[in-house]
Structures are given as C-alpha cells and as structure tokens.
Amino acid sequence: MTDPVLYNYDLDIDCYTVRMIAGCLGIALELRNVDMFPGNEHLSPEMLALNPQGRLPVLVEDSLVLTQPLSIILHLAETRCPEHPLLPTDPGIGARMLDWMTFAAREMGVAGAARATAMLGAPGDLDALRAQARRALRLVDDHLTLQGFKGLGFVAGPEVTLADLMLFPPFALSRDFGIDHDAFPALRNWARRVRKTKGFSTMPGIPDYH
Amino acid sequence: MSINGWFPLALSDAITAGSSAGAIVKGLEVVVWRDDAGNAHAWEDRCPHRGMKMSFGFVRGDHIACLYHGWQYGVDGQCQKIPAHPELDVPKSICVNTYGAAEAGGMIWAALGEAGDAPTLPDATAVRSLYIEVPLNTALAALPSAVGAKGFTPEGPVARLDSRWGMLLVGLQEIGETSCALHIAVAGRATPETCAQIAMAAARLRDDVEAGVAA
Ligand code: FES
C-alpha cells in the first residue's frame, strides 16, 4: 500500500487531529501542505475541485477522497491497523468511543470555529462561539468527573481510545480562543494521561513537556 | 484591593504530584502546584522574568520550569537555573512571590495577605470543583436546596451543609465579581455512588443558576 496523501495546514486544528492520531496509530501520511492562511490556497480552484466545502484536511487514497476528520481517522484505523489497542475490542466500549467521536466532530466543532475566528480572522461571533465551546468542554469535564468515580480514566472506558485523541486538540488549544484550563480539573488531568499515548505529538500552541 | 486570609484553590485530589493549575482569588492570579514529594505550593502566577503565567509551565520534580524561556524555580520560589545562561550563578533577587499553603478538608489552601492560622477541618472525601459564571453569593444562595440542606453555616471561606448525603464542606473561591468556584467535599468517607450523586447535583446547580442569571 502506498501512503495516503493528507492535504494539510499545520496550524489547522482538524489537520493536527488527523496527523497526531495517524502518528499514534503508526500510520505514515504523505503531507501536501496547503497555505490556508494567509494564502487562502484551500479555496483555490484545484483544492475546491478536490473538496468543494473549501476545508482541510482532505485525505486522498487512490480514488477515495475523504473530507471529515471522523471518517478519515476511522478509515485509516480500520483498513491499516484494525488490531491496534486504540480501537477497543469490547463492543460496548467501541460504541461509546464512536459516540464520543461523533460528539467531538459535532459538538466540539465550535472550538475549531472559535479558534479560526480568534486567530485566523475567520468570520463569526467569537463570544457566542466561545460560550458554545465552554458548554461542550464542560460536558466532557462533567463526564470525566463521573468516569473518575468509576475508576475509569478515559471517555469510553479504562483505556485511551481514538475518542480521547479526537477530543484532546479542542481542549489543549482552548487558550487560543480565550478559554483557560483553570475551570476544567477533570479535563486537565485527563489531558496529562492522553499525552502519554505512544506516538503522541504536539503542534504550535500545545507545548511539549520539556 | 487587599486580600487577607486563607482561600481554597482546588481539591487536593485534582492537583496530582508533578502538576499545576491556575486559580484566581478576587482577581489575584495564583498558581497551585504539587511537587513530586507530594507537597502543595501556592505562588503568585507570574514569572519574574517576563510575567508569563507560571501555571502554563511544567512541574519537574521539585521545581517549575516557566513555559516561556524555561527559567526554573525551586520550592522556595528562588530561580535556580536560567537555561540560556547555564553557567550563571542566579541572583537571589530573582524569586517568585510565594504564599503559605496548607491542605485541610480535602482542599488546598493559600495564605494571602494577613492570613492568620490555617483552617482546621475534618477529614473529607473530595467530590468535585464546580466553576460557575455567577457571583459567589448567587451560587451560595442556591446551594442548600440543591443538596437537600435547610441552610448553611458559613465559616469564613467554607460553607458547611447538612445535606442528604451527610455533612458537606464547600470551599468558596470568589474568582471575580461574576464568577466563582465551589470546591465540594463530603466529611468522612463516601462511596463512589454518593460522590457521583453529589457531583451530578452540583452540575445541575451550576446550570440552573447560570440560566437564572441569563434569564
Ligand atoms: S517569562 Fe518566564 S522564563 Fe521568561
């Protein structure tokens, strides 16, 4: 199999999510860097032909073109390393993982929008986006608090799964759109555990522990 | 504004060895951290070099390394090492402002200003900290009915409530005029189920009072 091609912008939160998770899964990607800001290259005719939504990341593998982080991550994991420990074997834990991955894609999407508005000049009502992002982060913090009473350290169960890795970037980058980590004790300690995942990597705005 | 007294910053459980967090008391920014030996510390959340928040940095054994340029500060707040000048004998004047720290009732406390004696509280099981975007008094007024108590006994920055789950100790942290944190612990030992019920009641309280303020 040749390496899948990822159209990537290093500072985009969703591109980071895909790169970081591919790294944790041990999957090599061929990166094609797209100058999203300030170049707006993701809106060029060539890129719009590939993804009419005008967004990154885009994964291309032979004739397959995928445009959503959730489908990109699941496709990579299921076709290239279905036995990987980041994919739970227990059906209940697997279902919870998918539930939280969908939450990450749908409810946490506001974090990416808030960050793009705050940092990259994207249009949007920053106060409203920030309030929605805070609400979504609180739902995860509340959930992790309850998981903790059951002795479970991660969103789907006792071990880290793809869902935790997908939820990590919006929390780790929340200061970029004006939400501090002070008010999320459960997320803070969970993030320390998530960082220990083998193959984990950071991006600008997420300090390496040195 | 002068701030005098002992103030709760976090639940003891929430600050694990080798970690740190930021906490604001009436606008004053504090970093609370725990060294690898298990001792809790409370400092002004400000690096003497260029003012970076110390809570953004990393705890390494018995010191914090600032995120910005990596200056390292020991448990006494003294700068020990400046990585860009490893040979330098660091002047004693480079020192983070430190506060007294204590642990009581399942919480970590900081002594700010003229603080007096550290609080004495019964042993307790930490439940959760709740961060609410309303004035402290608004949250406090709604607290008894949320936990099935008739009222509360204030003891400085702690409220004691005779709740349906037993005696609750709630540490009161006024962050600013419109936000606060409640650090909730239950006296004695509590089962995980009890803790989960208290935590859920607390989250409902937060959502209700915020909705009430917005309405
Ligand atoms: S600001 Fe802390 S080391 Fe420079």
Side-chain angles (χ1 to χ4, degrees):
Chain A
M1 263 194 279
T2 53
D3 290 346
V5 173
L6 184 76
Y7 288 83
N8 169 65
Y9 177 61
D10 276 347
L11 301 182
D12 179 84
I13 188 168
D14 290 334
C15 292
Y16 163 62
T17 303
V18 171
R19 288 194 313 273
M20 181 264 284
I21 293 181
C24 293
L25 290 167
I27 296 169
L29 299 172
E30 184 187 327
L31 296 186
R32 298 255 170 93
N33 287 321
V34 176
D35 178 15
M36 199 169 178
F37 186 83
N40 267 334
E41 224 187 306
H42 59 302
L43 302 177
S44 66
E46 299 76 34
M47 285 309 298
L48 285 175
L50 200 57
N51 179 13
Q53 300 158 56
R55 261 193 289 137
L56 293 177
V58 180
L59 187 92
V60 178
E61 192 183 57
D62 304 319
S63 62
L64 184 65
V65 178
L66 297 175
T67 62
Q68 305 295 327
L70 178 59
S71 55
I72 292 173
I73 291 160
L74 281 177
H75 170 73
L76 289 174
E78 284 169 356
T79 55
R80 291 177 185 253
C81 51
E83 313 280 305
H84 199 283
L86 284 167
L87 295 164
T89 47
D90 178 273
I93 296 176
R96 284 187 204 103
M97 174 183 86
L98 200 50
D99 209 51
W100 281 104
M101 288 177 85
T102 313
F103 178 93
R106 204 169 70 161
E107 313 292 331
M108 275 322 313
V110 291
R115 186 171 169 275
T117 301
M119 293 193 76
L120 306 176
D125 177 346
L126 184 55
D127 286 339
L129 289 168
R130 190 188 289 130
Q132 288 170 44
R134 176 180 286 116
R135 163 108 189 110
L137 288 171
R138 271 183 178 176
L139 287 167
V140 188
D141 193 70
D142 286 356
H143 173 67
L144 285 167
T145 302
L146 297 179
Q147 289 288 86
F149 297 129
K150 296 181 200 152
L152 304 173
F154 296 93
V155 292
E159 307 292 343
V160 62
T161 67
L162 295 176
D164 300 285
L165 298 177
M166 243 182 116
L167 288 164
F168 177 85
F171 175 65
L173 291 166
S174 71
R175 287 167 182 148
D176 286 352
F177 49 92
I179 295 185
D180 219 323
H181 289 178
D182 296 7
F184 306 99
L187 277 169
R188 219 167 41 222
N189 284 318
W190 161 87
R192 292 169 62 82
R193 295 192 289 274
V194 172
R195 279 173 171 271
K196 299 204 173 106
T197 309
K198 190 161 170 280
F200 174 83
S201 59
T202 57
M203 68 169 270
I206 304 178
D208 276 310
Y209 283 2
H210 44 73
Chain B
M1 180 171 38
S2 68
I3 301 172
N4 295 306
W6 285 87
F7 294 89
L9 304 179
L11 290 174
S12 293
D13 285 12
I15 310 295
T16 53
S19 78
S20 66
I24 299 175
V25 178
K26 300 184 195 186
L28 180 75
E29 296 182 339
V30 182
V31 56
V32 51
W33 64 282
R34 195 184 291 284
D35 61 38
D36 277 355
N39 298 312
H41 306 273
W43 294 355
E44 186 181 4
D45 197 2
R46 191 177 181 287
C47 178
H49 181 219
R50 293 275 180 82
M52 182 60 154
K53 280 190 166 203
M54 294 305 302
S55 57
F56 288 10
F58 304 106
V59 179
R60 284 279 164 272
D62 61 354
H63 64 265
I64 296 192
C66 177
L67 177 65
Y68 213 174
H69 312 96
W71 291 22
Q72 295 175 9
Y73 301 89
V75 291
D76 55 359
Q78 272 311 326
C79 183
Q80 299 167 331
K81 192 171 169 199
I82 297 178
H85 303 280
E87 308 306 325
L88 186 76
D89 199 8
V90 182
K92 283 277 174 268
S93 57
I94 304 178
C95 187
V96 185
N97 208 356
T98 62
Y99 309 118
E103 300 198 55
M107 301 165 213
I108 301 177
W109 298 77
L112 306 179
E114 305 284 318
D117 292 338
T120 47
L121 292 167
D123 281 347
T125 307
V127 177
R128 78 168 299 184
S129 293
L130 198 68
Y131 292 81
I132 319 181
E133 304 285 314
V134 301
L136 177 59
N137 283 335
T138 308
L140 211 42
L143 183 59
S145 64
V147 297
K150 293 209 173 61
F152 62 86
T153 320
E155 275 174 46
V158 185
R160 287 189 193 232
L161 297 99
D162 191 7
S163 81
R164 67 172 69 99
W165 299 285
M167 178 65 74
L168 295 188
L169 303 173
V170 179
L172 310 175
Q173 180 189 346
E174 182 178 351
I175 295 172
E177 276 168 20
T178 58
S179 61
C180 64
L182 305 179
H183 304 288
I184 304 172
V186 53
R189 283 180 177 256
T191 64
E193 292 74 31
T194 301
C195 290
Q197 285 176 22
I198 299 170
M200 284 190 280
R204 263 196 310 278
L205 161 74
R206 175 196 65 205
D207 295 345
D208 287 351
V209 290
E210 285 188 359
V213 165

